[in-house]
Amino acid sequence: MTNTQVTLAQIDNYGPWTVTPNPRKEVDLQTLQSRLYADLSQLVGMHGGYVFFTRFDNMVAITNGLDLEDHARIQESIGNRYPVTLSFGIGTSTSPRDALVDATALLQEAGSAQDAERAEVLAGQTTEPTPAEDDDVHLAHFDVNDATGEYTDELDAYSTFIHIEQAYASLMRYLHDAHDGLAFFVGGDNVIAVVPDLERAAYEDAIRHVREDVDMDLKVGVGSGVTAQDAGMAAKHALEICREDGTHVEGL
Amino acid sequence: MTNTQVTLAQIDNYGPWTVTPNPRKEVDLQTLQSRLYADLSQLVGMHGGYVFFTRFDNMVAITNGLDLEDHARIQESIGNRYPVTLSFGIGTSTSPRDALVDATALLQEAGSAQDAERAEVLAGQTTEPTPAEDDDVHLAHFDVNDATGEYTDELDAYSTFIHIEQAYASLMRYLHDAHDGLAFFVGGDNVIAVVPDLERAAYEDAIRHVREDVDMDLKVGVGSGVTAQDAGMAAKHALEICREDGTHVEGL
Amino acid sequence: MTNTQVTLAQIDNYGPWTVTPNPRKEVDLQTLQSRLYADLSQLVGMHGGYVFFTRFDNMVAITNGLDLEDHARIQESIGNRYPVTLSFGIGTSTSPRDALVDATALLQEAGSAQDAERAEVLAGQTTEPTPAEDDDVHLAHFDVNDATGEYTDELDAYSTFIHIEQAYASLMRYLHDAHDGLAFFVGGDNVIAVVPDLERAAYEDAIRHVREDVDMDLKVGVGSGVTAQDAGMAAKHALEICREDGTHVEGL
Amino acid sequence: MTNTQVTLAQIDNYGPWTVTPNPRKEVDLQTLQSRLYADLSQLVGMHGGYVFFTRFDNMVAITNGLDLEDHARIQESIGNRYPVTLSFGIGTSTSPRDALVDATALLQEAGSAQDAERAEVLAGQTTEPTPAEDDDVHLAHFDVNDATGEYTDELDAYSTFIHIEQAYASLMRYLHDAHDGLAFFVGGDNVIAVVPDLERAAYEDAIRHVREDVDMDLKVGVGSGVTAQDAGMAAKHALEICREDGTHVEGL
């Protein structure tokens, strides 16, 4: 049964920091944010987890396989190497959406994202002592059919970007509202969604929704596993089957 | 007069590389992409330019102040340190939109984004020998009014993310279609747009459009300069005035 | 009983790569090397291990706590993100010196460091299935007494550097030849040595040797643990006691 | 005429920071130091300069081509992205040794390396307004003859390391005391020295000194230029001629 562990990682008091005492150079903020994300990806990834950059000051991670001590060590490592600190809220649920709702509530109870006193909160419980199961995490890896041939090599880069962005926006709202899933753009024309245990019909419906909404054709590979990495790699292989066979949903 | 120099940076043959010989671990791809972006930001930023992560495999940069040799040295530096290479197409125009259209066309003429033979293309011309002017680059820095109080501290993290994303999607399409501007999400609740020389009414119209379209309140600081960094820092200071005075458009 | 697991990490065919087809820019090589070292430190460190930069193209790691699969995943992660690959030879022994001799021999048997065909070798066995013990790893953390007051704030930077370097050179040879230890400069005025289970007299002797050899006064904190990190943190705390109490050897 | 501009970069109050409030994890310190060095290399390198890691908390840079404003922007960029700050002392001289003596004195006058109040000092003058000349910077790039065949593939890794280290220690003291040069290990079996305008006899003498002192055979390529990068690339090409022709000194 799905048992997704979701961690909300929030940079403490980041907004005020970026303009104190004066606005900091944008190039430095961009570098700071993207490297902090890369480091968090590696640290969480060593335990099999995934991190999505989301808004960069608020990142969402799938952390099945990481206990509280692992979270604390990651906070310490970031705190030792960056001028900012991270707070973590952790939620678990059969619904990824509910898990993130719980994770967010824990951080909000601890204080505002712009509270200068709130730092390195670690709130919530991990899936332990429930034993890990092969279907704890379900990931769906979507991409756009022939994105290079239809868009990248044909339209100007911004028009392609608008198309990709529209498909993503349509998909993220649909999966969230209709199926309790959390979808994230991960670069190129790729979206990875953490989802409950959905039927094939749900994926076909999601793809149809995006086609009707914004006229973009998606395909999806689905995978399950003990960790995000296991599920994600299974989803990637399923997506490769879509590519080879010209199908739209594989892995179920 | 506006004379924006836009560079399209495209990772060569990236899609096929990510699945050769088998799909590579997502955590490594995320780390690679975000660090490549961070490095490109620093390298371009040393000359006063801005890079936007866009789709990560296709990044858009404002490169006034960088000549062809600067571009070539950046390609060399990335090529020496990453397992992938970058191609650059460069366009200049009074319209940022047109500049990117030209930059894209140059790369498309050189070959497909998934052409294994196309590598480290450097195509296009920079603004030289036209002398740099104080109004070559116009940047508009938007954010959401009281994003922390209205969204981050109130809604769950994904619902906040959907709201921010909708405002951004609405703004990016409006600025592009109505005003030849290119808007990019830069983290948190911030969007930076490279624009032509627009009147105050255009910004008020854009903010009204987003409010009517998705019920989100934006404000904007506008700045001009010889480089993106000069224009961007002026825009940030103008945005601080909005915050202090409760206004919606400053810097014009 | 001491059971040190030492991994020799060697960049494959690095020398030829740095001059193919022409010498690559030194700034890029320096960046590549130091970031590769930083990444390896984090990846090994997530499992409790330590990496020493040594010659950068040949790095020595204390890897108790990492099995062969962990090593393979680290190779894969580096291979996915860098233009070069790493080979690993692993040795275990009650003598750190012998462990590294064995680790080196395994790589040499697999091919030359400049063999274009040899890539991502993973050779040797880890300590498993022997159960981990609290005294598997012994680390000694040395520094120079009042280095800032005696050297950094008094002499020019290069003369200080020569003094520090001489103390380190004297210590590294002594510990290796007399006590089977491997000492590494880790920055500032600090040297960390992985050692067998030594008596207090051995440390006093080493400190006396350096004083007589190059007229520099050292102190040392010693610690033991299941992993390098456990032993290293105990050694740091012992060194703090030296600082507070004005003693020369603590932690035994 | 030689006119070397040397910058001493010192992390402010680093020693106390590493143990406040308790000793920080060594893996994080190693990562912080090596990434800070990599970033400084890139930032200085964009202007043609070289940085040597030296002791990591004290780094030496050849900064011909960078003015005071460039130095200030680099300090700002590091300060925006790291939990520590950098102070810079700048000296210029026909003698690299004297330039670093002057650079060090300026920082020492501003306060101790462990003064909690001293931060982001920028002291000294650059070579301006003296016009840059083709022979402002002289670099000598040394390596060990057949290091792979004689050492890396033959001895255990630590014994090789001791040999390389001894050659380097012998060379650094000789060049400093006899010829006012500053030599730095840069990884592998490579040493780069910034030197005055020396005759061929001086290099032959240095190589003979190392051979007699520690029985290691070196060769050297020498280059000059307006910046460290120009001089360094010329030196690398000269060293390649040594490799091809079996000679010991090239580039003069």
Side-chain angles (χ1 to χ4, degrees), chain C residues 8 10 18-19 22-31 33-35 37-39 41-42 44-46 49-51 53-58 60 97 100-101 104 108 111-114 118 141 147-148 151-162 164-166 168-169 172-173 176-177 181-189 192 229 233 236-237 240 243, chain D residues 8 10 18-19 22-31 33-35 37-39 41-42 44-46 49-51 53-58 60 97 100-101 104 108 111-114 118 141 147-148 151-162 164-166 168-169 172-173 176-177 181-189 192 229 233 236-237 240 243:
Chain C
L8 174 62
Q10 195 172 78
T18 64
V19 293
N22 291 301
R24 296 175 193 259
K25 285 216 168 74
E26 190 63 32
V27 62
D28 292 337
L29 299 179
Q30 293 298 312
T31 305
Q33 292 171 7
S34 49
R35 288 194 177 158
Y37 166 65
D39 270 1
S41 277
Q42 285 290 313
V44 168
M46 280 302 284
Y50 268 24
V51 186
F53 57 79
T54 324
R55 294 166 57 199
F56 284 102
D57 59 350
N58 285 266
V60 175
R97 173 182 172 162
L100 183 53
V101 167
T104 310
Q108 289 168 341
S112 167
Q114 297 195 354
R118 198 207 72 179
H141 194 136
T148 302
Y151 301 97
T152 308
D153 286 351
E154 288 300 313
L155 305 181
D156 74 277
Y158 203 78
S159 297
T160 295
F161 184 42
I162 287 177
I164 301 282
E165 201 277 334
Q166 282 180 313
Y168 167 48
M172 77 183 278
R173 285 190 292 269
H176 182 260
D177 295 348
L182 307 173
F184 301 93
F185 178 64
V186 294
D189 61 315
I192 296 177
Q229 186 169 281
M233 194 49 85
K236 278 171 179 267
H237 281 285
E240 286 300 288
R243 279 187 189 128
Chain D
L8 174 60
Q10 194 172 77
T18 64
V19 292
N22 290 299
R24 296 175 193 259
K25 285 217 168 77
E26 191 63 33
V27 61
D28 291 337
L29 299 180
Q30 293 298 311
T31 305
Q33 291 171 9
S34 49
R35 288 194 179 158
Y37 165 66
D39 270 1
S41 278
Q42 285 290 313
V44 169
M46 281 303 284
Y50 268 24
V51 187
F53 56 80
T54 325
R55 294 166 59 199
F56 284 101
D57 59 350
N58 284 266
V60 175
R97 174 181 171 161
L100 183 53
V101 168
T104 310
Q108 289 168 342
S112 166
Q114 298 196 355
R118 199 206 71 179
H141 194 136
T148 301
Y151 300 97
T152 309
D153 287 351
E154 287 300 312
L155 305 180
D156 74 277
Y158 202 79
S159 297
T160 295
F161 184 40
I162 287 177
I164 301 283
E165 199 279 333
Q166 282 180 314
Y168 166 48
M172 76 182 279
R173 283 190 295 269
H176 181 260
D177 295 349
L182 307 174
F184 301 94
F185 177 64
V186 294
D189 60 315
I192 296 177
Q229 187 168 281
M233 194 50 85
K236 280 172 178 267
H237 282 285
E240 287 299 290
R243 280 188 188 125

Side-chain angles (χ1 to χ4, degrees), chain A residues 26-27 30-31 35 37 39 41-42 55 104 108 112-114 148 152-153 155 157-158 165 183 186 188 236, chain B residues 26-27 30-31 35 37 39 41-42 55 104 108 112-114 148 152-153 155 157-158 165 183 186 188 236:
Chain A
E26 191 63 31
V27 61
Q30 292 299 311
T31 305
R35 288 194 178 158
Y37 166 64
D39 270 1
S41 277
Q42 285 290 313
R55 295 166 57 200
T104 310
Q108 289 168 342
S112 167
Q114 297 196 354
T148 301
T152 309
D153 287 351
L155 305 181
Y158 203 79
E165 200 279 333
V186 294
K236 278 171 179 266
Chain B
E26 190 64 33
V27 62
Q30 293 299 311
T31 305
R35 287 194 178 158
Y37 166 65
D39 269 1
S41 277
Q42 285 290 312
R55 294 166 58 198
T104 310
Q108 289 168 341
S112 167
Q114 298 196 353
T148 302
T152 310
D153 288 351
L155 304 181
Y158 203 79
E165 200 279 334
V186 294
K236 279 172 179 267

